[in-house]
Amino acid sequence: MSTHLSTTVEGRRASIALLVVLFASFMDLLDVTIVTVAAPDIAADLSAGEAQLQWTVAAYTLALGSGLITGGRVGDAYGRRRVFLVALIGFAVASAACALAPSAGALIALRALQGLAGGFLVPQVFGIIRSSFAPAAMAKAFGAYGAVQGLAAVAGPLLGGALVDADLGGLGWRTIFWINIPVALVALILGLRVLPESTSPAPARLDAAGALLSAVAVVLVLLPLVQGRDWGWPWWGWALLLAGLGLLAGFVAYERGLAGRGILDPALLTVRPFTAGLAASVLFFGALASFFLVLSIYLQSGTGRSAWQTGLVILPYAIGSMLTSGAGVALAARAGRALLVTGSLTLAASQALLWLLVRDGGTPGYWPLAGALFLGGLGLGLAAPILVNVVLAGVPGHQAGAAGGVLSTVIQIGGAAGIAVLGTVFFDALGTPPAFGHGLAQVMPWQVVAYVLAALAMLALPRTAAAH
């Protein structure tokens, strides 16, 4: 294990180092959204079933969430630069393998590996910025990270749609994975030259058993939810679900025995704002992650739009979120909770409006859809960027780091759970022949309920965002 090491970078080297970590962040965030637009083409090319489409998206977010805390601790102990570069190579190799996937099953497995590499990559971005940038530069770096998040949200659907429609070299949807390779190569070459090495003076204990136990438990819960319809909802599917819930209880008991030295400090679960924040995050991001998968399938398979046209329909959502996210961050220190509740209820209103547009089986034009999605984007920008900071305001300062790691993990797992549950509602409602408008109309009320319940949970959060 490394001794404590930290080097501050300045000037041109700091600018290039920031560019490297932002490149990697952009690539990781892009792969959350870019696949949803390509989902119908992946299904057609690989003869993927509906459950397999859900897993193609959920496997990535689930593996990403599973790797975050362990990835952060590995970087603290063995060097953030080293782990960043190794994870970057792993992400690039997994992306190339996804592009070459011969079957839906292989693509799902490779997406999980890609997500796991992302789970080790992302914590190093924060670690490198915190340990290697001067305070003034650090604030600007985190601001740039927020901007990159917004850019990835815009670029994902548009870039995915453009690449699928362009069909470069006859590769179709596979180009959405190939595009990661040159980005990763540039980041790797520059990273080798400019990234400083850093480690933690007192790295937290690696809790491999806890990480494995929690990951297996979540997969056992999600597996029957996604596959249940294909299986015919057998008794053993419900048994798997119960076994997963039992393992989750066992995981909490195991972590309690470690007395705060594992990946979850059970004492956090007694902090009311934190547990309310976990509930709000699962509901909020579960609804969000599932929405884009079902919307993309509806827009392409249901209304006959191309992948590029689908990206253009989703674009107002991203624009709306970029318009309000700056104001949300600026006002979070004064009115964080109010912004969260307003954002979540605005999203609920957006989904209710979308339900009104599709409930009669018609095919809405661009502008009605764009208006409903723009409203949703405004709500997302108010809530999503500040949720973690508002939740952490209710956590004692010495527990903030551990709480942030757990919250980030739960956000990803909540996304996977949302895809499992609401994706199943959508595909269950399609019927034969498939009525995609009806399927979307069945999902929208559940979306509204999820955002309203998230808003109620947010009422238990602190009034303003955290300063630590």
Side-chain angles (χ1 to χ4, degrees), residues 25-336:
S25 300
F26 179 79
M27 187 172 63
D28 167 71
L29 291 163
L30 193 70
D31 270 60
V32 176
T33 57
I34 198 169
V35 171
T36 55
V37 174
D41 288 83
I42 292 172
D45 187 39
L46 297 182
S47 301
E50 293 156 353
Q52 289 174 315
L53 273 188
Q54 288 171 265
W55 278 118
T56 301
V57 182
Y60 180 87
T61 56
L62 185 58
L64 178 66
S66 299
L68 284 174
I69 293 177
T70 302
R73 293 187 174 178
V74 169
D76 289 348
Y78 297 101
R80 299 179 184 108
R81 174 184 184 270
R82 180 181 300 150
V83 175
F84 175 88
L85 295 174
V86 170
L88 184 63
I89 293 168
F91 193 92
V93 170
S95 296
C98 285
L100 296 169
S103 66
L107 180 60
I108 291 165
L110 293 165
R111 282 281 286 168
L113 289 176
Q114 190 188 33
L116 191 60
F120 276 70
L121 189 70
V122 171
Q124 314 320 320
V125 173
F126 295 109
I128 289 169
I129 290 174
R130 282 202 189 98
S131 64
S132 304
F133 284 72
M138 193 187 304
K140 291 179 182 176
F142 281 122
Y145 179 81
V148 164
Q149 281 190 305
L151 184 61
V154 174
L158 284 178
L159 187 59
L163 289 171
V164 170
D165 277 7
D167 194 22
L168 300 171
L171 292 172
W173 61 269
R174 296 176 189 273
T175 51
I176 68 172
F177 296 112
W178 282 125
I179 196 161
N180 288 335
I181 309 306
V183 175
L185 192 59
V186 170
L188 181 65
I189 292 168
L190 291 175
L192 284 167
R193 296 183 60 185
V194 301
L195 285 183
E197 186 59 282
S198 64
T199 55
S200 173
R205 168 184 184 274
L206 291 180
D207 180 17
L212 183 63
L213 192 61
S214 60
V216 171
V218 172
V219 169
L220 284 178
V221 170
L222 295 185
L223 189 62
L225 293 176
V226 176
Q227 298 290 151
R229 197 167 63 87
D230 284 359
W231 290 342
W233 302 108
W235 66 267
W236 48 267
W238 297 107
L240 282 177
L241 181 63
L242 289 172
L245 293 172
L247 265 186
L248 280 176
F251 162 71
V252 173
Y254 171 78
E255 293 296 314
R256 188 171 284 120
L258 294 179
R261 292 176 289 111
I263 63 173
L264 171 67
D265 182 355
L268 284 170
L269 299 179
T270 64
V271 180
R272 183 167 170 259
F274 182 70
T275 54
L278 291 181
S281 299
V282 167
L283 290 162
F284 187 92
F285 289 99
L288 185 67
S290 58
F291 176 59
F292 288 106
L293 176 64
V294 300
L295 180 67
S296 294
I297 293 171
Y298 162 73
L299 290 172
Q300 292 180 65
S301 302
T303 71
R305 287 176 169 88
S306 68
W308 169 248
Q309 289 170 327
T310 295
L312 289 177
V313 172
I314 296 173
L315 179 61
Y317 193 101
I319 292 172
S321 71
M322 292 183 77
L323 286 176
T324 52
S325 60
V329 170
L331 296 171
R334 282 179 286 167

Side-chain angles (χ1 to χ4, degrees), residues 350-389:
S350 162
Q351 304 305 69
L353 188 56
L354 195 57
W355 174 75
L356 289 173
L357 291 174
V358 302
R359 64 179 176 150
D360 62 358
T363 305
Y366 178 83
W367 291 110
L369 286 170
L373 291 171
F374 180 72
L375 180 65
L378 293 176
L380 182 72
L382 288 176
I386 64 169
L387 178 57
V388 170
N389 267 4

